[in-house]
Amino acid sequence: MTTTEAHPSDPARPDDHGAARARLLADPGLGGAARRTALARLTDGWLAGLHRDAGAPAGTALVAVGGYGRGELSPRSDLDVLLLHDGPIDPRLPERIWYPVWDSGAALDHAVRTLDEARAVAADDLKAQLGLLDARHIAGDAALTASLRSTLLADWRAGAAGRLPELQQLCAERAERHGELSFLLEPDLKEARGGLRDVVALKAIAATWLADAPRDGLEAAATRLADVRDALHLTTGRATERLSLQDQDQVAARLGVLDADTLLRQVYEAARTITYASDVTWRAVDRVLAARSNRGRRLSRIAFPFSGTGRGSGAVAKGAVERRPLAEGVVEQDGEAVLAQGARPAQDPVLPLRAAAAAAQAGLTVAYATVRRLAAETKPLPVPWPDEAREQLITLLGAGEACLPVWEALEAEGLITRLLPDWERVRCRPQRNAVHRWTVDRHLIETAVRAAAMTRRVARPDLLLVAALLHDIGKGWPGDHSEAGEVIVRDVAARMGFDKTDTDTLALLVRHHLTLVDTATRRDPDDPATVDAITKVVGTLPHLELLHALTEADATATGPAAWSSWRASLVGNLVARAAARLAGGVSHPQAGDPTAEQERLAVEAARTGGPALSLHAHTETGSAGTTGTEPMGVELTLAIPDRPGLLGTVAGVLALHRLTVRSASLRELDPIDAGPVLLLSWTVAAEYGELPEAARLRADLRRALEGSLDVARKLAERDAAAPRRRGIATPPPVVSVAPGASLSATILEVRAHDAPGLLHRIGRALDAAGVRVRTAHVSTLGADAVDAFYVTDAEGQPLAADRAAQVAGAVQEALG
């Protein structure tokens, strides 16, 4: 810490000091950090003169603490001053120093203590200890001040293991009281989460030598908030920290900023930088303290894990921690998602989304150094996106609340705007509406979080999640944001690789995301024209379901005033009337004519009475920066004479080989009048990127079908041996019967969170229920499975209503 000594020509009298201070604050060429430093120097000189004129003896020192100690003196800041002494002093000495300060009108926070008393106060009061960490000499015995600084710093480091959790709790309580600076229309620049108090906490953590904050942009963010605070003090003439609405235009003008909205965006951006640095740093503190506790011994200083762009999550000895696979190229380490040792970001543009999705689904965040490496080394996604990239984005959004810290980490390093260039227009954009509690960008991701809890209500959860993320994307453009958003979302959807039908659906949802609420609250629900207006907009029942879920997610993410039981009932009644008008059966994709290879396999199975299968890699054109094709998974076609339990058995074998089912279909063929043959077509992906050998997979399928491989037992043994990893809370599975959807079979619809062995459990439950699966259509959309099973009784007839309900209940129980 630099010591600021009094200059001989600095004023000592209050009137001289007041005039010099006024000139300094009025100087148009002096602002920002330079003005704060000059103001601190001017005040130092004044107080030093008061200390001298008061006849302070040897063995005393005047010490600046807190913000004044850091030399960060805003125009209306309090003066935090300590009179330190090492022996008896004249009781009137402090008053001879303090009274001129009070007479000047300056706000003074003062104390008179010995070194031992200062240590005792610091030990008892964390806030006082934090202020004393910034002690800076003003006048008197410099050695006494140096002794205070070195002693208190040593005490702080020695007691860090106990003090840091206390500081963390203090920060959390402050955030609870004052909210998040990044989203408040009238933020407290000092006390709110992401404000100047958090910068002080980060400096205190760094002083322990246990962890340090990410430095990129942190100093600039703190300086920006301090500059706004200075302008606020000068505008209002008061020592206020709250940036009130009525002051924002004047503060913006004083800072030379375009308008109040631009000012708020700058404040929000600075606060997010500080908030993210705080989150990263506190996670590092937690790891260090946990390591101390787990190893039962004290750790010495560790390397700062945030100063470089290392390949992992920090300075960790090789082999010192367990690394558990999460996805291809991604592992869990120390409670965070990091890159696997063999990961190659430069050759894998999908890796950022894959790492983010895997982390969120596991309830983790992505390590700071990992995000930095991904931002530095990965190349932009090709246009249109590979299918995997789109699926990983949907999986990330489908994680609900667990998506938020991961999204914030990606956004902090610029990865979100790289993926979605239109995001820049809504990033940190304030919404000057009392109903809205978030900035536009945070409202969008909050809407996606709420939509993730509604994915069981719709047949296309992927479209719901993407529409939720983009429904207000037009707010960064002039005109009606719904109309602008429709144009933008068509471009974004095409870039993401959605086909025309899905793009049209997304455009409809964005264009009309306010239509249900507006119609339900402003039109007569008993007027047939009201229902007609809605049915003409949505066109189909699936579109209506999507719009209903999006409407509720949007409103609940806006704020408490935007959604109520009254509004919910109005919208629900309108949707029910429109659904009744649109009802006409549930449609599912129908298989086309069998291919020549499928017919060949069916004939072979019918003739031999055993399974016939083919395997080949499913590839996708290489992305930018790569050549040729990249393996995306395996396509498996299996033909076999019909038998009980076939679907569950085959699905179990795939699960044993850690193959994730992306899509599947089951159909019946009768190739040579030798009895029905079931044809199963699968598209699967390797869970960790390594595909099994075709010969081994083929052999295990044969063994399972012959009964020599107990698939259920093997899966149970593997699950029991696997370490328990915390996951995220997901909506419960929904199993329903689609009434009247087919004349020749009963359709069971299953909507559930995708998990290893899910299809195996469904197949076993259907087999145990004694029903026959005639046709199946299985889809995995992000992290959600949306499956339809056409089932009959043993005679090939649709199930009776009560029997169908029993089967649905049995499947629901198996998935519970």
Side-chain angles (χ1 to χ4, degrees), residues 556-634:
T556 55
T558 298
W563 194 247
S564 63
S565 57
W566 171 73
R567 287 197 172 201
S569 64
L570 289 179
V571 172
N573 289 336
L574 177 60
V575 169
R577 291 169 184 255
R581 183 79 59 86
L582 293 169
V586 179
S587 61
H588 292 282
Q590 300 297 316
D593 293 333
T595 65
E597 182 181 30
Q598 290 173 337
E599 288 185 337
R600 178 186 65 78
L601 293 173
V603 169
E604 180 182 344
R607 285 176 175 170
T608 63
L613 60 87
S614 67
L615 287 155
H616 63 85
H618 175 59
T619 59
E620 183 169 333
T621 302
S623 56
T626 63
T627 57
T629 57
E630 298 292 332
M632 298 298 294
V634 169

Side-chain angles (χ1 to χ4, degrees), residues 68 377 484 778:
Y68 180 29
E377 296 185 22
V778 175

Side-chain angles (χ1 to χ4, degrees), residues 377-396:
E377 296 185 22
T378 52
K379 298 177 181 178
L381 284 168
V383 178
W385 290 7
D387 289 347
E388 186 198 359
R390 186 174 63 255
E391 291 169 0
Q392 296 294 354
L393 174 63
I394 294 162
T395 301
L396 169 62

Side-chain angles (χ1 to χ4, degrees), residues 733 735 750-752 758 761-762 810-816:
V735 183
V750 180
R751 298 174 184 177
L758 174 67
R761 294 196 299 275
I762 295 173
V811 176
Q812 181 93 43
E813 183 177 356
L815 299 182

Side-chain angles (χ1 to χ4, degrees), residues 12 40 128 147 176 249 397 480 490 509 538 587 622 627 630 739 767 802:
S147 179
E176 183 67 24
D249 286 317
L397 298 175
D480 185 301
R490 286 187 179 277
L509 294 173
V538 298
S587 61
T627 57
E630 298 292 332
D767 184 42
D802 57 346

Side-chain angles (χ1 to χ4, degrees), residues 364-504:
L364 309 171
T365 191
V366 185
Y368 170 75
T370 295
V371 181
R372 285 181 59 80
R373 184 183 173 198
L374 290 170
E377 296 185 22
T378 52
K379 298 177 181 178
L381 284 168
V383 178
W385 290 7
D387 289 347
E388 186 198 359
R390 186 174 63 255
E391 291 169 0
Q392 296 294 354
L393 174 63
I394 294 162
T395 301
L396 169 62
L397 298 175
E401 290 283 350
C403 168
L404 289 175
V406 177
W407 188 272
E408 290 170 352
L410 298 184
E411 191 167 48
E413 296 298 332
L415 285 167
I416 296 300
T417 50
R418 183 189 300 181
L419 291 167
L420 303 170
D422 295 287
W423 194 260
E424 182 61 29
R425 282 184 173 264
V426 298
R427 189 175 62 85
C428 294
R429 180 174 291 275
Q431 304 200 75
R432 294 186 177 276
N433 185 321
V435 174
H436 279 277
R437 62 177 298 191
W438 306 111
T439 54
V440 177
D441 59 335
R442 181 57 181 262
H443 169 69
L444 291 176
I445 191 63
E446 288 282 347
T447 303
V449 166
R450 282 152 181 78
M454 305 176 187
T455 52
R456 305 295 178 264
R457 292 169 40 177
V458 299
R460 289 295 301 274
D462 55 334
L463 298 182
L464 172 62
L465 292 169
V466 173
L469 181 68
L470 300 175
H471 73 280
D472 275 349
I473 198 71
K475 285 189 174 178
W477 295 81
D480 185 301
H481 77 277
S482 297
E483 295 177 0
E486 178 184 8
V487 175
I488 296 169
V489 82
R490 286 187 179 277
D491 177 67
V492 175
R495 194 183 318 140
M496 288 181 176
F498 284 103
D499 62 24
K500 183 181 184 305
T501 299
D502 288 348
T503 298
D504 290 343

Side-chain angles (χ1 to χ4, degrees), residues 785-804:
V786 181
D787 305 338
F789 301 91
Y790 288 66
V791 299
T792 66
D793 59 18
E795 285 72 38
Q797 298 300 313
L799 306 181
D802 57 346
R803 174 70 174 134

